[in-house]
Amino acid sequence: DHRRAEELAAGLAEIPGLNLDLNQPRTNMVFVKVDEKYSIDDIIANLCSLGIYVASPGIGQIRMVTHYQIGDGDIERTILAFRKIIK
């Protein structure tokens, strides 16, 4: 789970408009700060329509959790979804 969270964070960190602290403690959670020009609600709705479920613990932030049901393909699909949504 931690390895997949690191892969997810690294892939999302390459997308302009998303900001991640890659030095945060190693857990199965990934926190993404989103530039103010994007709507968190719109991003979450778009991800949900693609079958990717995330939460927003605070203003301008999205939280994702990896677990035993999340595979490598899910990580790739999530990164590609963010690339599609964040333009």
Side-chain angles (χ1 to χ4, degrees), residues 19-21 24 27 29-33 57 61-64:
N19 301 296
L20 291 91
D21 179 2
Q24 65 186 357
T27 69
M29 291 187 274
V30 176
F31 294 89
V32 179
K33 291 184 182 177
Q61 195 173 39
I62 294 174
R63 182 190 73 170
M64 291 165 280

Side-chain angles (χ1 to χ4, degrees), residues 1-28:
D1 296 339
H2 295 163
R3 176 187 58 82
R4 286 190 178 110
E6 287 176 4
E7 290 174 10
L8 178 60
L12 295 177
E14 295 177 0
I15 300 173
L18 301 181
N19 301 296
L20 291 91
D21 179 2
L22 297 177
N23 295 317
Q24 65 186 357
R26 288 187 57 171
T27 69
N28 66 328

Side-chain angles (χ1 to χ4, degrees), residues 19-82:
N19 301 296
L20 291 91
D21 179 2
L22 297 177
N23 295 317
Q24 65 186 357
R26 288 187 57 171
T27 69
N28 66 328
M29 291 187 274
V30 176
F31 294 89
V32 179
K33 291 184 182 177
V34 180
D35 284 352
E36 292 178 5
K37 66 181 180 178
Y38 299 105
S39 163
I40 292 288
D41 292 336
D42 289 346
I43 293 170
I44 291 173
N46 281 303
L47 290 170
C48 185
S49 73
L50 297 170
I52 300 168
Y53 303 102
V54 300
S56 177
I59 296 173
Q61 195 173 39
I62 294 174
R63 182 190 73 170
M64 291 165 280
V65 180
T66 59
H67 51 77
Y68 73 95
Q69 293 175 316
I70 303 294
D72 292 335
D74 298 314
I75 300 302
E76 292 175 30
R77 189 169 62 91
T78 301
I79 293 167
L80 290 174
F82 268 94

